[in-house]
Amino acid sequence: MTDLLGHQFTETTVTEPPVKSTPTSPQILLYPRVRKSPYFWQSRAHGVAMYSVYNHTYHPRHYGDPVAEYWHLLSDVTLWDVGVERQLEISGPDAFDFTNYLVPRDLNKCAVGQCKYVFITAPDGGIINDPILLRVEENRFWLSLADSDVRLWALGLAQAGGWNVQIQEVDVAPVQVQGPRSKDVMVDLFGPSILDMPYYYMRSYTLDGMDVVVSRTGYTGEVGYEIYLYNATANAARLWQAVWQAGQAHNMRVIGPCHIRRIEGGMLSYGCDITLDTNPMEVGYDYRWMVDLDQEADFVGKEALQRIRDNGVSRLMVGLEIDGEPLGSFNDGSMIEPFTVLAPSATHREVIGSVTSACYSPRLERNIGLTMLSLEFTSLGTNVVVETPTGLRAGVVVEKPFVDPRKQTPRS
């Protein structure tokens, strides 16, 4: 065999391969198999510095300076490519009853033209997704999805239950316009009537021949809107340019989802803070209003969540302040894994939970994090120990959200 392969094939070269250095910042592969947002090429032209994959789609995470993006969001107006929020449409004669069965909120309280932040729960109460629901018509709903395969779940439920509904991913894609000057941009695009739209409502408009739905929603805790574009595959470039041009007079900047701001606001990230292994009763008092256990109608997970409510939970999501050097902006790759949380002890190692999202808040000038803890450690002022990549740090339980707990800013 050695003769056939030549003298370079020796035992030494096989058993001792050349040592290669490990890249500290591996790249993400851009190629045809992963889906693209309809706005992919428009957002990319602004210099995307980091992507992740969300709903099987490339998602721009930031454009080089997440902290500068944070400050711009707080002071001016920003444009986001959120075409990764795939729109699942449920329509047909049973659409209301089926959608009401899919989510724990009582949709009898959701009028046509209104939006709701909802959980989708499994039979054991675990969270499958946390989309924004838009009631487009009496029997037509959109679910603006977080990162999980809800379409397959909904198709299976409808088939098994014999529901008379159509479930499809439609060619509708949103952009977000967020920040205190977003109203100025939206007035320039759609006229002053848009200022009359209440928080978490939506309206239909036509912009330069393009049909859109505008909602007063967003993932920031700031004043903001989402523009849902029909026929997005064909019209995405035109809409992006129209919004970008309107924004020039108002100092618009293209940014990625600002995780510093969403952590400050106690806003959840599916896959980080909540998963199938998390139920709505565990994510804190500020989310229990999303489960209507006393409604007459049944929904997936109702019995399990009633049992959890009656018996109580063993863990709870809290806010945590963490000492030490700044942790980073979360979307800069500074938090690859959750941080393990320990009970303070000089003699043994007792795991009591994990920090699921953490960052340094520039305006609060401290590290903050959303943290799932054993119930006995969730009282305000409780001291804990946090294992971070740079070593052990002290942590203390505090109120969440960290900023604007009554959400007065986005409602203004």
Side-chain angles (χ1 to χ4, degrees):
M1 181 64 75
T2 300
D3 290 339
L4 290 175
L5 296 175
H7 68 277
Q8 73 277 14
F9 186 79
T10 66
E11 183 177 349
T12 299
T13 55
V14 172
T15 57
E16 296 181 9
V19 176
K20 296 181 179 179
S21 61
T22 301
T24 55
S25 298
Q27 295 182 325
I28 189 169
L29 174 62
L30 300 177
Y31 72 141
R33 192 179 66 80
V34 178
R35 299 200 297 181
K36 316 296 181 300
S37 158
Y39 308 104
F40 177 83
W41 292 106
Q42 282 67 48
S43 57
R44 185 173 165 81
H46 290 266
V48 178
M50 182 176 286
Y51 285 102
S52 71
V53 175
Y54 189 101
N55 278 330
H56 311 286
T57 308
Y58 289 116
H59 189 12
R61 286 300 180 173
H62 68 78
Y63 294 76
D65 189 343
V67 175
E69 293 178 13
Y70 162 82
W71 285 119
H72 204 90
L73 170 65
L74 298 189
S75 63
D76 291 284
V77 60
T78 60
L79 172 62
W80 308 11
D81 171 2
V82 287
V84 296
E85 295 172 5
R86 298 291 173 165
Q87 302 306 303
L88 188 68
E89 181 177 277
I90 301 171
S91 61
D94 291 345
F96 175 82
D97 290 334
F98 176 76
T99 309
N100 202 38
Y101 180 64
L102 197 64
V103 305
R105 294 193 73 165
D106 183 357
L107 296 185
N108 287 294
K109 303 173 184 176
C110 181
V112 174
Q114 196 170 3
C115 312
K116 296 286 185 181
Y117 177 45
V118 298
F119 290 132
I120 295 174
T121 45
D124 67 354
I127 298 173
I128 295 174
N129 202 282
D130 64 329
I132 299 297
L133 177 148
L134 300 90
R135 191 169 187 182
V136 183
E137 297 176 0
E138 189 71 24
N139 266 320
R140 187 159 71 101
F141 296 83
W142 288 346
L143 298 176
S144 190
L145 296 176
D147 186 18
S148 69
D149 293 311
V150 173
R151 182 183 182 186
L152 299 176
W153 169 248
L155 284 169
L157 274 183
Q159 175 68 23
W163 297 90
N164 187 4
V165 292
Q166 291 79 51
I167 299 170
Q168 59 180 332
E169 184 183 289
V170 291
D171 188 18
V172 172
V175 295
Q176 293 202 15
V177 180
Q178 301 285 312
R181 301 181 70 180
S182 59
K183 288 184 177 180
D184 299 328
V185 176
M186 299 302 282
V187 167
D188 287 353
L189 286 168
F190 300 105
S193 68
I194 201 157
L195 299 179
D196 300 330
M197 190 191 312
Y199 188 50
Y200 266 74
Y201 276 77
M202 61 184 177
R203 289 180 182 171
S204 296
Y205 290 89
T206 300
L207 177 66
D208 296 336
M210 298 176 285
D211 293 325
V212 301
V213 168
V214 177
S215 65
R216 181 81 189 281
T217 55
Y219 193 51
T220 63
E222 297 296 317
V223 174
Y225 298 83
E226 292 182 88
I227 306 173
Y228 293 80
L229 173 66
Y230 285 94
N231 299 315
T233 303
N235 293 326
R238 287 180 57 214
L239 178 73
W240 182 276
Q241 289 304 320
V243 177
W244 176 245
Q245 291 302 320
Q248 295 313 289
H250 307 287
N251 198 26
M252 175 178 274
R253 176 173 181 162
V254 176
I255 72 169
C258 183
H259 283 268
I260 300 174
R261 185 62 187 90
R262 75 99 181 155
I263 295 170
E264 287 180 343
M267 302 173 77
L268 305 171
S269 171
Y270 193 82
C272 295
D273 308 306
I274 51 175
T275 69
L276 265 175
D277 296 326
T278 314
N279 71 66
M281 302 301 175
E282 296 175 322
V283 291
Y285 67 90
D286 43 338
Y287 285 100
R288 287 203 172 196
W289 51 270
M290 292 178 60
V291 180
D292 289 315
L293 287 174
D294 296 326
Q295 65 177 300
E296 184 177 344
D298 193 17
F299 62 82
V300 180
K302 183 177 184 179
E303 185 176 334
L305 290 170
Q306 286 174 327
R307 187 168 56 250
I308 292 168
R309 178 195 61 183
D310 295 341
N311 295 337
V313 297
S314 61
R315 59 180 188 167
L316 196 64
M317 181 166 289
V318 299
L320 200 70
E321 289 184 4
I322 305 167
D323 77 354
E325 294 297 311
L327 288 171
S329 65
F330 188 78
N331 61 334
D332 58 357
S334 56
M335 189 175 182
I336 298 176
E337 301 281 0
F339 300 155
T340 299
V341 180
L342 309 175
S345 172
T347 59
H348 65 282
R349 183 176 185 272
E350 180 187 0
V351 176
I352 59 172
S354 62
V355 180
T356 53
S357 296
C359 68
Y360 177 75
S361 167
R363 65 171 150 179
L364 298 177
E365 297 183 333
R366 69 195 70 162
N367 295 312
I368 56 174
L370 303 178
T371 306
M372 188 69 81
L373 286 180
S374 297
L375 194 61
E376 63 189 286
F377 294 94
T378 56
S379 298
L380 295 179
T382 300
N383 294 309
V384 299
V385 177
V386 182
E387 289 186 336
T388 74
T390 57
L392 298 178
R393 301 192 187 197
V396 60
V397 176
V398 298
E399 291 271 13
K400 75 172 176 68
F402 300 90
V403 171
D404 190 20
R406 296 187 179 278
K407 297 191 181 300
Q408 293 175 330
T409 298
R411 296 175 187 273
S412 63

